[in-house]
Amino acid sequence: MPAQTPQGFFITGTDTGVGKTVVAAGLAALFKKNGLDAGVMKPIQTGCIIRRGSRIAPDARFLARAVKADDPMDLICPYRFKIPAAPMVAAEYEGTTIDLDRIENAYRTLASRHRIMVVEGIGGLLTPITPTETVVDLARRLRLPLIIVAHTRLGMLNHALLTVRHAQQTGASVLGIIFNRLGGASRGIAEKTNPEVFSRLCSVPILGTIPHLSGINVEAGRLGRVRGLGHYLNEGLHHLGIKLNP
Ligand SMILES: Nc1ncnc2c1ncn2[C@@H]1O[C@H](COP(=O)(O)OP(=O)(O)O)[C@@H](O)[C@H]1O
Ligand SMILES: [Mg+2]
């Protein structure tokens, strides 16, 4: 267990659509509710919603709502692209490039305003940001340890073990994994046994398993029961070096 409360966490996932935004928002709200002032960031959003000519970044908006952030959107989400594609592709399509220095500067400003930062990644660790940099390079640049969000469907073991292995090979620190039961799908043998089998194959701590929480809609900006996510992470918080007020 880390000796001090860490500066922040980088929430990555085994894929897009696995619950990174839900977990990041739930964690940040949990910290805030317990007296740790949490800042949030979604450094790059692709597939923005266009409304009256301006670009709305749904993940960044959801994170900001979860903690009632009053930081400017240009700091919370410095890069907002229209095309729903990997950041490198979305940037190329708009004839621009992404500069990790700009993201780091925004991050440092937010980190100086808040006690703890929760940063949501984009896609998975190997998602390209520039031709030479991926999401894991961004996490390392921000010097943030990783929390991996994984679905529990068939295929999870491969996705989760690949993610852990790549993080370790690139020198990123992995604090733990959170399983997200996205709901809807019928529970077959794989879904029932995957978390337990993962724990036999990999020493990364399991921080918790999140059930389907009602009323959440990231795209529509509806928080639903996202603030209740902490109930499923109680024991996992020890691995994060977080001590919440009783
Ligand atoms: N535990 C959950 N309970 C209810 N809905 C969820 C849960 N996890 C994810 N979702 C829904 O699934 C979709 C994908 O989740 P999201 O957090 O946006 O994934 P990611 O950030 O990895 O792309 C969203 O529409 C979100 O509302
Ligand atoms: Mg997201």
Side-chain angles (χ1 to χ4, degrees):
M1 193 202 312
Q4 293 176 320
T5 304
Q7 253 198 358
F9 305 108
F10 191 97
I11 314 300
T12 189
T14 51
D15 198 358
T16 193
V18 294
K20 293 184 299 292
T21 309
V22 167
V23 166
L27 267 181
L30 175 73
F31 298 153
K32 188 157 184 195
K33 185 174 134 205
N34 287 277
L36 269 182
D37 174 25
V40 291
M41 194 175 185
K42 170 81 184 182
I44 307 162
Q45 178 100 59
T46 65
C48 281
I49 303 161
I50 310 293
R51 196 166 296 153
R52 287 185 220 102
S54 57
R55 295 177 181 202
I56 295 167
D59 292 10
R61 176 178 67 179
F62 191 84
L63 296 173
R65 282 187 183 171
V67 291
K68 300 194 172 79
D70 54 10
D71 301 302
M73 194 43 78
D74 284 343
L75 290 179
I76 295 176
C77 188
Y79 285 102
R80 304 191 287 277
F81 295 104
K82 209 168 120 183
I83 307 299
M88 182 185 84
V89 180
E92 279 173 1
Y93 195 87
E94 296 190 15
T96 183
T97 52
I98 296 169
D99 181 358
L100 292 198
D101 286 340
R102 182 170 151 202
I103 294 176
E104 188 178 350
N105 288 338
Y107 171 79
R108 301 277 163 230
T109 304
L110 289 174
S112 71
R113 293 182 183 184
H114 299 282
R115 173 61 192 84
I116 193 162
M117 287 295 297
V118 180
V119 178
E120 181 190 342
I122 310 98
L125 287 184
L126 271 168
T127 297
I129 296 177
T130 70
T132 56
E133 292 157 311
T134 69
V135 165
V136 77
D137 298 312
L138 173 60
R140 292 184 62 216
R141 170 77 83 101
L142 303 182
R143 291 191 216 103
L144 288 174
L146 304 175
I147 295 174
I148 298 168
V149 181
H151 63 85
T152 53
R153 298 184 299 266
L154 187 62
M156 176 281 264
L157 290 172
N158 175 49
H159 294 158
L161 294 170
L162 278 171
T163 302
V164 170
R165 185 171 295 185
H166 185 66
Q168 289 169 344
Q169 279 172 353
T170 52
S173 138
V174 182
L175 288 179
I177 189 160
I178 295 177
F179 294 112
N180 188 19
R181 293 201 190 280
L182 288 163
S186 62
R187 291 251 207 119
I189 291 291
E191 171 134 43
K192 278 188 196 135
T193 59
N194 267 343
E196 186 270 322
V197 176
F198 176 87
S199 72
R200 279 196 267 146
L201 299 173
C202 183
S203 60
V204 163
I206 297 176
L207 305 178
T209 299
I210 314 290
H212 182 82
L213 300 168
S214 61
I216 296 179
N217 190 322
V218 171
E219 293 75 11
R222 279 201 295 276
L223 293 177
R225 288 189 53 230
V226 80
R227 291 201 176 99
L229 186 132
H231 295 303
Y232 307 98
L233 296 178
N234 284 341
E235 298 195 1
L237 292 173
H238 295 295
H239 294 288
L240 303 183
I242 295 289
K243 251 197 188 156
L244 299 178
N245 297 334

